[in-house]
């Protein structure tokens, strides 16, 4: 029997958090080996485990997988969270890309120079209210189902839940005009595997703060 997947990354959200979310939602236990220093990262590189010399890295089923989308695609396929056919997978991919666009904007806010932060916050709020959340609300309304694609749980539901929780952390009032998305968030948060991941003490990571950013810059040699 294969062992638990092993996740190699810094002890923060970053590009690994969506992978943690998907594994947790699938009910898959995983281990984490945190990269605590630049030496840890260099060892992974020298051992030949990082194809493109960057993380995230996931050890799973005898493979050393890198590149976030490739890792997510494999997990989703393995645990039947990637739709029933090519058309559903196309929709899942399309919606996921939109989720990634907005998630990246929110997560990168902490890196924004102080003199640009106000404008960045205004842009995020505008895109959230007028572009991304209306699009997903429309999807739910148009087909009248409990999930974004088909009528069962897929990876894109989990990615959207993660995004909605980030938006709540950023400004909870932004969700108010979207009743179907609020209902989706409530439904998904009640799923046993998801509910467990949302509990204190899980492997879910807290919001990234400036102290974490500074530590990460040292690990990854970012000036």
């Amino acid at each position: 029997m294969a062992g638990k997947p092993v996740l190699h990354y810094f002890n923060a959200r970053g590009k690994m958090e969506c992978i943690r979310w998907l594994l947790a939602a699938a009910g898959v236990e995983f281990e984490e080996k945190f990269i605590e220093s630049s030496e840890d990262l260099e060892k992974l590189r020298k051992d030949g485990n990082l194809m493109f010399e960057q993380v995230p890295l996931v050890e799973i089923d005898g493979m050393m997988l890198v590149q976030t989308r490739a890792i997510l695609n494999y997990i989703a396929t393995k645990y039947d969270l990637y739709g029933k056919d090519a058309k559903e997978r196309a929709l899942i991919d399309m919606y996921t890309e939109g989720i990634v666009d907005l998630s990246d904007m929110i997560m990168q806010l902490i890196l924004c120079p102080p003199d640009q932060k106000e404008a960045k916050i205004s842009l995020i709020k505008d895109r959230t209210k007028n572009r991304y959340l209306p699009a997903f609300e429309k999807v739910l309304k148009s087909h009248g189902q409990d999930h974004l694609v088909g009528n069962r749980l897929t990876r894109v539901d989990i990615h959207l839940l993660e995004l909605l929780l980030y938006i709540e952390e950023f400004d909870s009032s932004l969700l108010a005009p979207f009743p179907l998305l609020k209902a989706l968030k409530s439904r998904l948060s009640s799923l046993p595997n998801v509910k467990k991941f949302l509990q204190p003490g899980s492997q879910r990571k807290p919001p990234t703060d400036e102290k974490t950013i500074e530590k990460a810059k040292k690990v990854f040699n970012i000036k």
Side-chain angles (χ1 to χ4, degrees):
M1 182 177 177
K4 297 178 183 177
V6 180
L7 281 51
H8 297 264
Y9 200 69
F10 187 67
N11 188 11
R13 287 179 175 175
K15 292 182 178 295
M16 186 65 88
E17 190 70 356
C18 56
I19 296 167
R20 297 183 186 108
W21 263 98
L22 194 58
L23 285 168
V28 180
E29 293 184 0
F30 57 88
E31 298 176 3
E32 297 191 83
K33 291 188 178 179
F34 295 124
I35 299 170
E36 301 282 4
S37 67
S38 56
E39 289 77 17
D40 290 342
L41 182 60
E42 189 58 29
K43 186 177 187 306
L44 286 174
R45 288 171 174 160
K46 286 184 176 179
D47 289 347
N49 293 325
L50 301 180
M51 183 174 184
F52 303 111
E53 299 192 8
Q54 57 192 16
V55 288
L57 165 68
V58 175
E59 295 182 54
I60 185 170
D61 296 340
M63 296 184 291
M64 293 287 190
L65 289 182
V66 295
Q67 298 295 336
T68 306
R69 287 179 179 82
I71 296 165
L72 291 170
N73 289 348
Y74 182 77
I75 294 167
T77 301
K78 180 179 174 70
Y79 295 103
D80 196 22
L81 293 169
Y82 212 170
K84 72 178 190 303
D85 56 29
K87 287 185 176 180
E88 287 197 355
R89 287 192 291 277
L91 291 176
I92 289 167
D93 289 342
M94 181 171 69
Y95 298 162
T96 296
E97 291 302 314
I99 290 168
V100 170
D101 287 347
L102 183 55
S103 295
D104 284 351
M105 288 181 69
I106 294 172
M107 287 193 291
Q108 290 167 7
L109 180 62
I110 196 168
L111 299 173
C112 187
D115 62 331
Q116 299 174 24
K117 187 156 285 191
E118 187 176 338
K120 185 74 169 178
I121 288 172
S122 179
L123 177 63
I124 291 171
K125 288 183 177 181
D126 177 70
R127 294 284 171 82
T128 300
K129 292 187 296 184
N130 300 314
R131 180 180 295 188
Y132 292 100
L133 293 192
F136 292 120
E137 184 85 357
K138 183 178 179 181
V139 169
L140 291 171
K141 186 175 182 180
S142 67
H143 66 48
Q145 305 290 356
D146 288 343
H147 301 284
L148 280 174
V149 177
N151 195 27
R152 64 190 180 106
L153 185 70
T154 68
R155 57 175 288 193
V156 75
D157 295 309
I158 301 305
H159 299 328
L160 181 58
L161 173 60
E162 183 186 358
L163 172 63
L164 294 177
L165 292 173
Y166 289 162
I167 291 170
E168 265 195 340
E169 292 173 356
F170 176 72
D171 182 346
S172 59
S173 70
L174 293 172
L175 289 180
F178 305 101
L180 297 181
L181 288 174
K182 288 167 64 178
L184 177 75
K185 181 176 76 73
S186 180
R187 284 195 304 274
L188 295 176
S189 297
S190 297
L191 296 174
N193 290 334
V194 174
K195 187 175 182 179
K196 181 179 178 182
F197 192 59
L198 290 171
Q199 297 301 309
S202 79
Q203 289 164 292
R204 183 187 177 212
K205 303 299 179 256
T208 303
D209 57 20
E210 291 184 6
K211 184 178 178 181
T212 305
I213 290 291
E214 288 307 310
K215 186 175 179 182
K217 284 181 177 179
K218 290 179 182 178
V219 170
F220 296 104
N221 290 317
I222 300 171
K223 303 298 183 183

